[in-house]
Amino acid sequence: MTVINAPANTVVPVEKINETFKQYIDLAVATRGGKVLTLSDEWFAEAKNLLTPTAPISAPGRFVPTGAWYDGWETRRHNPTYDWCVIQLGYAGTIAGFEIDTSYFTGNHSPFVSVEGYKETSANAAAARTHEEWAAVEWVPVLSKVALNPHSRHGFQLETPTADFYTHIRFRMYPDGGVARLRVYGNVHQVVPENKHEIFDLAAAVAGSVVTDLSDAHYGHPSNMLLPGRGHDMSDGWETKRSRAPGHVDYATIKLGQAGHVTDIEIDTAHYMGNPPKAVTIAGFEIGSDVPVILLDQAPVGPHRQHFFKVPADLTEKRLASVKVVMIPDGGIKRVRVWGAAQLPAVQPKNSLIGVRQELPDEHTWNQKKN
């Protein structure tokens, strides 16, 4: 059996973690569909907490039947080997690095951890696999055994991103203990139509799109705008601070996974009932150009609903590589859909969601006065 070594990695100083991984997305976070499939133990705190999108919190004095409450994954003491869990990534992708956070684990953190990857080719096989079968698959080392400190953020950047993409990872803690959060940074393995003329959401995370620049993410990161569906509350959209300065705007730049010709735009303000922006501008940029192509110019938007816009035909002719979403002056947006095709003429597929209103249960009643 061939022995495969994990790629070399570099420790990232805590103050540089955000900057180092800003061009990547967290493939494992729960809001993108990441989930724990099986594990060795979670006696003190559940492994699913590793994938919580928000930073870990502390609750001194709070106890549960197994002991003090911790916002992370914590196992029993005295393991002779290691504890492990299998995580299905929300999006399959190549891996560039990790953030491993032991915040508030001061006397019970795991002193060492490692990560392995696996590429599943059958969703049915993954769903049917038992705990023992997951333990026996041919895991590929991705992050070698590294040391952790208590109550600290740790960044580890691979020398080069993995050549192959992975659908699952196995996270090991040696020999036991606790970790608050695990971030798996990488690039999405693109899922785009084979037909270059077929219209799809160019800005979708699954198409490989990423947020590369932003003005503010005080209440929610703009990468949430690239997720599927309409979300479940204000925690999974982009929301900025209240602005006070005249003329203020907030913005986020999205690098499209594939350059294309934009035909339609959707702005969804679901769950932002008292805090949507007044208006939205969207500018596109052709490859190698910093001259904006204004696709949407200060279009008014309202609360808690989808807004559909048709892009003029002459602008569809432009082949855009990125878009800049501008909120006027601030507020929250749940999703942005940038519908288009890699090549013209653009063809709308059957069962397309372009212009389709997917109403939420309270869409027509949320603003009614209560007795």
Side-chain angles (χ1 to χ4, degrees), residues 288-302:
S289 173
D290 58 2
V291 178
V293 177
I294 304 301
L295 304 173
L296 204 61
D297 190 9
Q298 300 184 54
V301 294

Side-chain angles (χ1 to χ4, degrees), residues 240-261:
T240 64
K241 298 187 292 285
R242 296 188 186 220
S243 61
R244 306 300 183 189
H248 176 89
V249 298
D250 281 310
Y251 65 86
T253 302
I254 302 167
K255 179 185 176 184
L256 303 179
Q258 184 174 90
H261 303 270

